[in-house]
Amino acid sequence: MPRPRSTTTPKTLYRFEGGLDLVDYLVSLTQHDIHENREVRIGEVTGRLVTGRFGSDQPEWAPFIQSITDVAVDLPSALPFAVLLVPMPPWTYAIACGSGHHLLDDQMMEQGFGLMFGIRRLDPDRLGTLARTALDATARHVETSFPGGSDIGGFDLERFGELVNRVGGLADLSGLTYDRDNAKPCRIKTSTSLTVPLARDPRDLLRDLAVIGEIVDRADDDSPLQFIGQIRAVKPGHPRYSELEQRLAEALGGDDRFGPLDVAWPANVVRAADDAYSFAVSGGGGALFAAPLEIGDVLGLLTAVPVEERVAEIARVRVTPCADDAGVEALAAATPLRKWVSFETTIDSVRYCYHHGGWVRIGEGFVEQLHNQVGGLLSRRSALSFPLWTPTGKQNDEHLYCRQAASQLGGIVLDRDLATTPLHKKFELCDLVGPSGEIVHVKWLGGAPAASHLLTQAQVSAESLRFEPEALVEFNRRVAVADPTLVKSDGPTTVVLAAAGRPWNVDRLFSLSQLSLLRLDQRMRRLGLRLEFADIPYVAKRKRSTLAA
């Protein structure tokens, strides 16, 4: 007996803000082989259907194969597509089939639309996949799958400091046509798009879209997955995007009305920036700055640029960390200035952060929650009492201070004494070993990059000592030379972050730095380590001179 035809079929759905002509949601169609591009009736609604194919004379990899084998590859291809646009004010929905998503203007689509559905309807105990990106200098991307399903705890998701991009699993589809005609649970995929069974009947399809819209637009206060939607990427199609770019442009001219601006090191040059003696600027007239690169240097490049051109200017101008004071010996590739800038602003109680050249939205109520948690963490103070740090202006200023501190504390200096393991060629185990065996990392916090470097140094050190036997053996050997009583067979149990230049105060830290702190504390606790903080008394630094261009 033939199997009865299903009343639904899985399709990928996108959502746009309504009110535009339907063709305005599509990219240019002129370069494609279009078969249909016309209005269609879907129940009581007039939509638009576009079908066709993407054609190619040969695959993009054909020249490589020919260059290696001298065999010409003649494999023309065609990728069929269809897009059905359905206006349902105040939204417009798009159903993409085949390669149809390539026709949609991704700058206009509602970011995280599918995730918002998933937060409200996915079963938190039967999730199948989860992909996320770390909001730190590494920009680490991780995707985890459980074919049999898992609760949210199984994914080891760090609720602070990770942007969830995609979630899939079994979902509650009550109210949709699928639920009416099927008793079996359904697996869906959610991201900016939503992959879910949709009705084949036109009127049922309209009802499905209406139900999906109601689900997405309702409050998610009762969902255990609510936290997933609190941090979201902000794309050009976002209704606040133009205002955010305008505020950034004003801040780049030295206007601090809308929030703090600081330097941030791009992920690809973190180590080079820390070793740099100068920073060479290409484009925008060029310049050469002594290390470290400071926000005043950036402002000096932009204050004369018209406000409406500043955001474009930081995309054109490039910065290169150099090993010499002449800006000749490059330590890393030139990187756009937009990746060297961090900015935060608040609109209608929502915090927005510009980081690594893109915007991130931190949800309502989350900033206060974050502030409270970091404030509690920073109250965990070390009992160590540090001497006054008077800057010398020399390249080895930090090392000179570490020697002074070790003498007063009765500790051991390991600053600049680099270790090597199979996983890490060169890294600092710590700057100081305290009188009770504490690992102490010392830094002058001149800005966000220094804080990021300090946290990264602490994390690499802690993980190496816990997971790499060679690191612990080397650490204990160096400690034993100076004071055998401080050697612990299982390694240190306390890590101290000691900072000068600014106090450990939650009001003085960027939101993304606060997220990184919470993530670091989580990792330390998993490693059996206690994280503590110390404020180093200091004399303020004098502004260092700018090198001649």
Side-chain angles (χ1 to χ4, degrees):
M1 181 175 179
R3 185 177 180 180
R5 187 187 186 203
S6 173
T7 58
T8 62
T9 184
K11 284 291 170 280
T12 302
L13 183 68
Y14 299 82
R15 191 165 82 166
F16 300 82
E17 187 174 350
L20 301 179
D21 190 308
L22 295 182
V23 297
D24 292 337
Y25 298 107
L26 307 174
V27 298
S28 174
L29 303 176
T30 56
Q31 71 271 36
H32 309 309
D33 181 5
I34 302 300
H35 184 254
E36 297 280 0
N37 181 10
R38 61 188 178 93
E39 290 185 346
V40 292
R41 293 293 290 177
I42 309 159
E44 305 300 322
V45 173
T46 299
R48 177 166 290 274
L49 174 66
V50 181
T51 67
R53 63 178 183 175
F54 298 105
S56 173
D57 291 335
Q58 66 175 4
E60 57 87 16
W61 42 261
F64 167 76
I65 295 297
Q66 185 168 358
S67 68
I68 299 298
T69 66
D70 202 28
V71 175
V73 178
D74 184 18
L75 294 172
S77 62
L79 299 174
F81 63 78
V83 173
L84 180 61
L85 294 160
V86 186
M88 298 189 67
W91 307 104
T92 292
Y93 292 89
I95 301 172
C97 302
S99 300
H101 61 282
H102 292 301
L103 260 67
L104 300 173
D105 189 337
D106 59 1
Q107 294 189 359
M108 296 181 64
M109 65 181 56
E110 183 179 11
Q111 299 298 316
F113 157 67
L115 278 172
M116 289 188 285
F117 182 91
I119 288 169
R120 293 155 177 79
R121 286 301 185 92
L122 280 167
D123 185 339
D125 295 320
R126 304 181 73 181
L127 301 176
T129 60
L130 189 145
R132 73 280 193 144
T133 302
L135 291 173
D136 59 13
T138 67
R140 168 181 51 83
H141 181 82
V142 176
E143 181 169 345
T144 309
S145 298
F146 284 90
S150 170
D151 62 20
I152 190 65
F155 292 86
D156 198 26
L157 178 65
E158 296 174 353
R159 300 196 178 200
F160 296 99
E162 289 192 323
L163 174 68
V164 175
N165 306 301
R166 186 168 64 256
V167 187
L170 295 178
D172 171 15
L173 298 185
S174 57
L176 298 180
T177 302
Y178 177 90
D179 183 66
R180 182 192 68 192
D181 298 337
N182 295 271
K184 187 177 180 180
C186 180
R187 189 176 297 274
I188 68 171
K189 300 175 184 178
T190 73
S191 57
T192 287
S193 62
L194 171 63
T195 301
V196 65
L198 295 175
R200 296 176 182 271
D201 177 82
R203 288 180 174 77
D204 285 344
L205 172 63
L206 295 181
R207 281 193 289 270
D208 282 351
L209 296 182
V211 170
I212 289 171
E214 291 172 2
I215 292 170
V216 171
D217 294 336
R218 71 177 55 146
D220 62 359
D221 297 342
D222 297 330
S223 171
L225 300 178
Q226 180 193 29
F227 69 95
I228 287 176
Q230 292 179 316
I231 302 178
R232 294 258 51 83
V234 178
K235 300 297 184 181
H238 191 279
R240 292 292 190 189
Y241 193 83
S242 295
E243 184 178 359
L244 292 172
E245 295 280 281
Q246 180 64 31
R247 290 191 174 197
L248 174 61
E250 298 285 356
L252 290 169
D255 187 339
D256 60 1
R257 289 177 299 158
F258 300 117
L261 182 78
D262 205 347
V263 170
W265 293 343
N268 61 312
V269 299
V270 168
R271 296 197 178 190
D274 189 44
D275 294 334
Y277 193 81
S278 66
F279 292 84
V281 178
S282 57
L288 184 64
F289 298 110
L293 186 67
E294 297 179 349
I295 195 59
D297 301 326
V298 175
L299 295 177
L301 295 171
L302 299 166
T303 48
V305 178
V307 63
E308 65 274 10
E309 298 177 14
R310 287 174 190 155
V311 175
E313 183 73 356
I314 62 173
R316 288 190 295 265
V317 172
R318 293 179 175 268
V319 178
T320 305
C322 300
D324 62 323
D325 61 1
V328 175
E329 300 176 28
L331 289 169
T335 307
L337 182 58
R338 64 184 176 85
K339 292 192 174 183
W340 291 84
V341 174
S342 280
F343 174 62
E344 291 192 5
T345 191
T346 301
I347 303 175
D348 294 338
S349 300
V350 179
R351 183 70 58 86
Y352 296 90
C353 303
Y354 185 81
H355 186 63
H356 286 176
W359 287 99
V360 176
R361 169 190 180 277
I362 300 181
E364 298 89 342
F366 187 55
V367 173
E368 182 179 357
Q369 180 184 0
L370 176 65
H371 189 283
N372 292 338
Q373 293 210 22
V374 173
L377 173 60
L378 294 179
S379 67
R380 203 184 297 159
R381 294 288 164 159
S382 169
L384 298 177
S385 180
F386 288 83
L388 180 71
W389 187 338
T390 302
T392 64
K394 299 178 180 179
Q395 282 279 126
N396 64 341
D397 182 60
E398 181 181 302
H399 182 67
L400 293 174
Y401 177 76
C402 286
R403 290 170 56 183
Q404 177 189 357
S407 176
Q408 176 170 312
L409 293 171
I412 303 168
V413 179
L414 292 185
D415 177 54
R416 294 194 167 187
D417 193 359
L418 301 180
T420 299
T421 68
L423 293 180
H424 298 91
K425 292 184 178 180
K426 292 181 179 180
F427 72 102
E428 285 188 341
L429 290 163
C430 62
D431 294 309
L432 300 170
V433 178
S436 298
E438 306 95 332
I439 287 182
V440 183
H441 299 281
V442 175
K443 202 71 178 175
W444 186 284
L445 296 185
S452 176
H453 180 273
L454 178 63
L455 303 188
T456 300
Q457 177 181 324
Q459 178 184 319
V460 171
S461 167
E463 292 179 347
S464 295
L465 290 172
R466 280 292 184 263
F467 298 135
E468 299 184 83
E470 302 90 346
L472 182 57
V473 168
E474 184 62 20
F475 176 80
N476 284 338
R477 183 189 68 78
R478 298 182 188 189
V479 172
V481 170
D483 187 348
T485 66
L486 296 182
V487 175
K488 298 180 180 180
S489 59
D490 294 333
T493 57
T494 302
V495 176
V496 179
L497 302 184
R502 65 177 66 184
W504 285 115
N505 186 313
V506 67
D507 295 322
R508 301 287 298 277
L509 293 172
F510 274 75
S511 293
L512 293 181
S513 294
Q514 295 180 39
L515 288 167
S516 296
L517 261 180
L518 290 178
R519 293 179 66 242
L520 177 65
D521 183 53
Q522 289 175 341
R523 294 192 182 198
M524 292 295 186
R525 284 189 280 110
R526 291 189 191 119
L527 296 173
L529 295 168
R530 175 179 170 82
L531 187 62
E532 296 181 348
F533 300 85
D535 290 329
I536 297 175
Y538 64 93
V539 175
K541 286 184 178 181
R542 291 188 299 175
K543 173 67 177 178
R544 70 357 176 204
S545 59
T546 301
L547 301 172

